[in-house]
């Protein structure tokens, strides 16, 4: 499956969303078209599966950050979570940029809603373990932090995606997340 997903990204990058066909993906992946149709009855099913796989990788990175940073001070936690999220997004470059187009073209409401719910769960669980602070409204802070990370990364990757922009994100996103969380937190009792 990895070869098919990688071939899908390569065809997306080479031919764009409208130029992607299951025949081109099969040829690039070195599998028969019949094999492609066995797993993916049409190109939208293939693109949906690639997007879902990519988003799952981001969630796994966030869950790993939860395991690593739970119970730490908020500044360390914010930096660790934002770096894990960003590294997961950048691992897939330049395919990450192509998948923004896929997400906009396909009916992904159910998938995105599920991913958002699960990401919010990881963030809320992590923030609730901060060793040095608490939050009046964990749900509001979780929502704000997620949208800050997602929106900032998406804006930079969609607009530029250059190595310089990625480097800037690696430096600045943790600072933004730390500053926000420190500003809205209350000292732990």
């Amino acid at each position: 499956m990895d070869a098919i997903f990688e071939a899908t990204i390569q065809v997306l990058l080479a031919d764009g969303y409208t130029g992607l066909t299951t025949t081109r993906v099969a040829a690039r992946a070195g599998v028969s078209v019949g094999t492609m149709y066995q797993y993916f009855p049409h190109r939208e099913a293939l693109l949906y599966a690639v997007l879902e796989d990519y988003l799952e990788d981001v969630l796994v990175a966030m869950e790993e950050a939860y395991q690593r940073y739970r119970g730490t001070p908020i500044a360390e936690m914010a930096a660790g979570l934002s770096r894990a999220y960003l590294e997961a997004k950048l691992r897939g470059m330049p395919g990450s940029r192509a998948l923004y187009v896929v997400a906009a073209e396909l009916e992904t409401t159910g998938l995105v809603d599920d991913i958002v719910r699960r990401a919010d769960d990881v963030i809320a669980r992590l923030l609730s373990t901060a060793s040095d602070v608490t939050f009046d409204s964990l749900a509001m802070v979780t929502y704000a932090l997620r949208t800050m990370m997602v929106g900032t990364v998406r804006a930079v990757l969609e607009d530029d995606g250059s190595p310089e922009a990625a480097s800037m994100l690696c430096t600045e996103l943790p600072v933004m997340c730390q500053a926000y969380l420190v500003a809205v937190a209350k000292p732990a009792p």
Side-chain angles (χ1 to χ4, degrees):
M1 205 60 66
D2 288 344
I4 292 172
F5 287 176
E6 181 58 34
T8 303
I9 295 295
Q10 291 171 3
V11 172
L12 268 173
L13 293 171
D15 302 328
Y17 179 80
T18 57
L20 184 134
T21 65
T22 53
T23 303
R24 286 182 178 152
V25 172
R28 178 75 58 111
V31 300
S32 71
V33 174
T35 298
M36 289 288 298
Y37 285 119
Q38 181 180 9
Y39 294 105
F40 309 105
H42 46 77
R43 86 181 193 124
E44 287 76 15
L46 170 63
L47 289 168
Y48 190 94
V50 170
L51 180 62
E52 182 176 36
D53 183 67
Y54 169 76
L55 293 172
E56 286 293 333
D57 285 347
V58 173
L59 280 174
V60 166
M62 293 176 71
E63 189 64 47
E64 288 170 356
Y66 166 78
Q67 295 298 328
R68 182 172 181 188
Y69 294 103
R70 67 182 175 191
T72 62
I74 196 66
E76 182 179 346
M77 187 180 285
L81 178 64
S82 60
R83 283 191 183 108
Y85 175 80
L86 182 57
E87 287 168 7
K89 298 291 277 185
L90 293 177
R91 246 191 321 271
M93 288 296 286
S96 296
R97 294 180 74 195
L99 290 175
Y100 285 126
V101 173
V102 170
E105 293 292 331
L106 294 179
E107 173 49 50
T108 59
T109 304
L111 173 62
V112 171
D113 288 350
D114 179 58
I115 295 294
V116 165
R117 180 191 54 73
R118 292 168 56 205
D120 283 354
D121 177 65
V122 172
I123 294 167
R125 282 187 292 122
L126 180 61
L127 293 178
S128 71
T129 71
S131 63
D132 56 344
V133 298
T134 62
F135 300 97
D136 283 340
S137 175
L138 188 57
M140 180 188 71
V141 172
T142 295
Y143 174 81
L145 182 63
R146 177 186 40 83
T147 57
M148 180 187 313
M149 290 191 308
V150 171
T152 301
V153 171
R154 183 174 183 166
V156 171
L157 295 184
E158 278 188 339
D159 289 347
D160 188 344
S162 69
E164 296 79 17
S167 178
M168 179 275 302
L169 271 177
C170 289
T171 302
E172 301 303 319
L173 185 63
V175 172
M176 291 168 54
C177 293
Q178 286 173 331
Y180 168 69
L181 290 173
V182 167
V184 299
K186 297 194 182 294

